[in-house]
Amino acid sequence: MKRFVVLGLLLAVAACAPQPPPPAATAPPVPVAAAPPPAVPAPPPAPPPHTSFDGLYKGSFVAQPYGGGTETLVGGNCDPGELPINMRVKRGYVRIWYKNYVGHTLHYRGRINSDGTVETAHTNRGGSASDFALQISDNQATGNLQRGRCWYSVTMTRA
C-alpha cells in the first residue's frame, strides 16, 4: 500500500509541476519557386533560299569594239553581226555552244557559282584559250566573250 501512496504522490507532483512550453510553431516552409521549364531552343536558321539556275538559255552575241575601246573590228576572223548562242545549266554545270562564222559549232564548258557567276573557257585549234564570263540574274544571262582579239557582248534569256 505504501507503494500505491508513493506512486500517487509522484503522479500528483508530476501533474502539478510546471509544464514546459509547447514547442514554438515553426513558420510554414517558404514556397520554393518552381524552376522555369528549360527555354525552347531557337529553331535552326532557315537555309538560304535555293536559287536554281538550271535550264536552257537562248540569245545572241554581238561583236564589240576591240578591248572595250572604240576601234571597229573589220576582218580578222571575228564573227560579224549578231549570232545565236545557247547555254544549258544543269546541276551546277554549264555548257555553251554556238556556230561561228564558218559554221563550226564551238563549245564552252564550266561551272556556275551559287551567286550566278559563270566562267568557262574553250581551247582554240592553235592552243589559245577563249574566255567567257557571264552573270545570271532574274532568268537572264549577260556577259562578255573574248576570242582572240575579238570581243562580244552576250545576252541570253531562260527559255
Side-chain angles (χ1 to χ4, degrees):
M1 185 125 146
K2 284 185 186 182
R3 285 187 192 168
F4 287 118
V5 173
V6 173
L7 181 60
L9 285 174
L10 283 174
L11 286 175
V13 170
C16 292
Q19 298 290 325
T26 59
V30 177
V32 177
V40 176
H50 177 69
T51 304
S52 175
F53 300 106
D54 287 5
L56 176 65
Y57 294 76
K58 294 181 174 228
S60 61
F61 65 99
V62 179
Q64 295 294 306
Y66 175 71
T70 58
E71 182 182 333
T72 302
L73 294 176
V74 178
N77 295 331
C78 292
D79 293 319
E82 187 173 321
L83 294 174
I85 188 167
N86 300 288
M87 176 174 67
R88 165 77 64 194
V89 179
K90 188 173 183 181
R91 293 190 296 260
Y93 290 96
V94 176
R95 186 172 62 92
I96 300 170
W97 68 97
Y98 65 91
K99 291 189 180 211
N100 68 4
Y101 69 100
V102 293
H104 293 132
T105 301
L106 302 178
H107 296 273
Y108 292 76
R109 289 177 177 81
R111 293 189 54 84
I112 185 167
N113 297 326
S114 61
D115 64 354
T117 56
V118 176
E119 291 186 22
T120 64
H122 168 82
T123 303
N124 302 314
R125 284 188 185 177
S128 65
S130 296
D131 298 318
F132 208 148
L134 292 167
Q135 176 67 48
I136 299 177
S137 179
D138 296 326
N139 295 322
Q140 186 168 16
T142 56
N144 298 300
L145 167 63
Q146 179 187 5
R147 185 166 171 77
R149 70 177 199 89
C150 306
W151 290 70
Y152 305 92
S153 66
V154 179
T155 303
M156 292 182 275
T157 303
R158 189 176 350 202

